[in-house]
Amino acid sequence: MPKVGMEPVRRKALVDAALRVIGDQGTLAVTMSEIARNAGVSPALAHHYFGSKEQLLIETVRSLLRQLRDDTVTALSVAATPREKLSALIRVSFQASQFAPDTIAAWLAFYSEAQRSEDVRRFLVVYARRLRSNLMASLKALCPVDDAERIAEGAAAMIDGLYIRQSLRSAPIGIEASIALTEDYVTSHLDQLHRQGRAI
Amino acid sequence: MPKVGMEPVRRKALVDAALRVIGDQGTLAVTMSEIARNAGVSPALAHHYFGSKEQLLIETVRSLLRQLRDDTVTALSVAATPREKLSALIRVSFQASQFAPDTIAAWLAFYSEAQRSEDVRRFLVVYARRLRSNLMASLKALCPVDDAERIAEGAAAMIDGLYIRQSLRSAPIGIEASIALTEDYVTSHLDQLHRQGRAI
DNA sequence: TATTTTTGATTGACTCATCAATCAATAAAA
DNA sequence: TTTTATTGATTGATGAGTCAATCAAAAATA
């Protein structure tokens, strides 16, 4: 039943399937067969389009990252002031699409994989940098650079930490609580600078 | 060259080797052969003493957790006031032994594995609970319970977040900087409560 | 328009490697 | 001689990657 132009469709289906399977198994010890089955095609086809499992995995991180970037761009575009942009950045990280158990499990699996695959590591570093630089951009408008750096570092760490804790599913902190906690961190530190007359 | 009483020695050697290999590969996709080789024994011996790979891995998380608990107990015992105990808890998390790249990679690998193995997950939940309850014990002496809960949650998240970010080894935040950031979080929130007259 | 040719999509069957787990055999204590 | 420590060799399962073959759409040609 070969219809022409299937390539992009299949690529997407396979990447999505990889995400699902990884999210489900919570590990990169997933097989091509399983991914292919989940996508409704044969294992051979997965190889045909991606060449190797590694490559399919890379593509999968990439898609995760792209999703997050798109969400971020959208959120930032509707935020007017630097302070609003900060809130938008925090909110995006805990957005439902990012906070879904499957997605969290997949991120975690990739963090673990990053220790072995230089390619995967590079993508995660991009994520870390992006979050940091987005936070910095807004913070610099609100306080001196060195304070901004500290706050950005702290906020980023807190976001990642809340994220990873979510993966254990014990005493799960909800989306709103996570946002409130991070929001609180930023606010209280900015307030502190304000009182010290160091804010802008 | 069988000498009697080798069992405990070998068990420890194998667990230590597992930790090294996992830390090195950053994943639980490690083989019994590799672990055994690293411990200087045959794969068959590893099976002899642990029965299965899963069991050896469980034992390895356990040892990680025990190490952390011992460090924590020691650190808490020399701290007198609640505030000092808080600092001690923070410091322990970033202690050299916990902050070694291998150890970080191993923790990460186990977090990822926790999605699949209920046993591993249980151990990590124990860790999370322990950290939280230790923080709470000291915080409750310094502020109302609901504030304590928020601060404990935030501090724990920040610790985990700094930890995970360390694993990417990009723009690595040092031990001291990590401690300072977390310390800063706790201090500024306690100060805030103080100003509001809600601290104890 | 009818036909042949080329190309893209797809898979079943296969190969090769790896790995967890088993077991029987050996060697040294006790 | 019984027990403990240890391993080499083997087995059985699984999984990544390859390949040749099939099928149908599209393009080219008659």
Side-chain angles (χ1 to χ4, degrees):
Chain A
M1 313 76 175
K3 270 171 287 189
V4 115
M6 278 287 98
E7 171 146 4
V9 177
R10 292 273 118 107
R11 290 190 95 98
K12 179 163 178 8
L14 283 164
V15 165
D16 289 351
L19 209 54
R20 275 194 301 272
V21 176
I22 292 166
D24 186 52
Q25 310 239 135
T27 175
L28 291 193
V30 292
T31 69
M32 282 299 247
S33 309
E34 199 150 357
I35 294 172
R37 192 178 330 128
N38 197 287
V41 298
S42 76
L45 195 69
H47 272 100
H48 173 66
Y49 283 129
F50 289 95
S52 73
K53 184 179 161 184
E54 169 89 2
Q55 211 49 45
L56 168 53
L57 258 24
I58 299 276
E59 217 52 54
T60 308
V61 204
R62 203 187 220 119
S63 89
L64 222 44
L65 214 55
R66 187 170 37 231
Q67 175 70 45
L68 181 55
R69 191 198 50 202
D70 291 350
D71 287 357
T72 304
V73 169
T74 304
L76 283 180
S77 73
V78 298
T81 68
R83 190 59 190 80
E84 278 171 23
K85 281 183 197 293
L86 279 180
S87 292
L89 285 170
I90 293 171
R91 190 161 287 276
V92 163
S93 300
F94 298 112
Q95 211 164 24
S97 67
Q98 293 297 321
F99 226 52
D102 269 12
T103 309
I104 292 179
W107 274 103
L108 207 50
F110 283 122
Y111 262 92
S112 181
E113 180 68 7
Q115 309 297 314
R116 238 189 335 161
S117 161
E118 183 55 35
D119 288 308
V120 171
R121 204 183 130 262
R122 221 172 27 240
F123 281 113
L124 293 185
V125 168
V126 165
Y127 152 72
R129 278 213 236 291
R130 208 135 77 184
L131 175 54
R132 196 178 174 290
S133 94
N134 278 333
L135 289 169
M136 278 300 287
S138 298
L139 282 167
K140 273 194 293 197
L142 298 169
C143 64
V145 182
D146 52 333
D147 289 311
E149 258 160 13
R150 266 186 26 245
I151 299 178
E153 211 69 71
M158 185 168 283
I159 289 171
D160 286 1
L162 286 167
Y163 208 78
I164 199 184
R165 296 201 134 225
Q166 200 68 18
S167 79
L168 289 183
R169 304 186 308 273
S170 78
I173 314 158
I175 293 187
E176 288 309 318
S178 298
I179 292 175
L181 224 44
T182 315
E183 218 28 88
D184 193 36
Y185 171 76
V186 172
T187 303
S188 93
H189 277 251
L190 284 177
D191 281 357
Q192 189 179 24
L193 291 176
H194 220 81
R195 276 194 309 282
Q196 296 171 355
R198 302 181 62 202
I200 296 175
Chain B
M1 308 79 180
K3 269 171 289 188
V4 114
M6 277 287 97
E7 172 148 1
V9 177
R10 292 274 118 107
R11 287 190 98 96
K12 181 166 177 7
L14 282 163
V15 165
D16 289 351
L19 209 55
R20 274 194 301 272
V21 176
I22 291 166
D24 186 52
Q25 308 238 133
T27 175
L28 291 193
V30 292
T31 68
M32 281 299 245
S33 308
E34 200 149 356
I35 295 172
R37 193 180 328 129
N38 196 287
V41 298
S42 77
L45 195 69
H47 272 99
H48 174 65
Y49 283 128
F50 288 94
S52 73
K53 185 179 161 184
E54 171 87 2
Q55 212 47 47
L56 169 52
L57 257 24
I58 300 275
E59 218 52 54
T60 309
V61 203
R62 204 186 219 118
S63 90
L64 222 43
L65 214 54
R66 187 169 38 231
Q67 175 70 45
L68 182 55
R69 190 197 51 201
D70 291 351
D71 287 358
T72 304
V73 169
T74 304
L76 284 180
S77 73
V78 298
T81 69
R83 189 60 189 81
E84 276 172 24
K85 282 183 196 292
L86 279 179
S87 292
L89 285 170
I90 294 171
R91 188 163 289 275
V92 163
S93 300
F94 298 114
Q95 211 165 22
S97 67
Q98 292 297 323
F99 226 51
D102 269 12
T103 310
I104 292 178
W107 273 101
L108 207 50
F110 284 121
Y111 261 91
S112 182
E113 180 68 6
Q115 309 297 314
R116 238 189 335 162
S117 162
E118 184 55 34
D119 288 310
V120 171
R121 203 184 131 262
R122 220 172 27 240
F123 282 114
L124 292 185
V125 168
V126 166
Y127 152 73
R129 277 213 236 289
R130 208 136 76 184
L131 174 55
R132 196 177 175 289
S133 93
N134 279 332
L135 289 169
M136 277 300 287
S138 298
L139 281 167
K140 273 195 290 198
L142 298 168
C143 63
V145 182
D146 53 331
D147 289 311
E149 258 160 14
R150 268 186 25 246
I151 299 178
E153 211 68 72
M158 185 168 283
I159 288 171
D160 286 1
L162 287 167
Y163 209 79
I164 199 184
R165 295 201 133 224
Q166 199 68 17
S167 80
L168 290 183
R169 303 186 309 273
S170 77
I173 314 158
I175 293 187
E176 288 309 318
S178 298
I179 292 175
L181 223 44
T182 314
E183 229 8 279
D184 193 36
Y185 170 76
V186 172
T187 304
S188 92
H189 277 249
L190 284 178
D191 281 358
Q192 189 179 21
L193 291 176
H194 220 83
R195 275 194 309 282
Q196 297 172 356
R198 303 182 59 204
I200 295 173

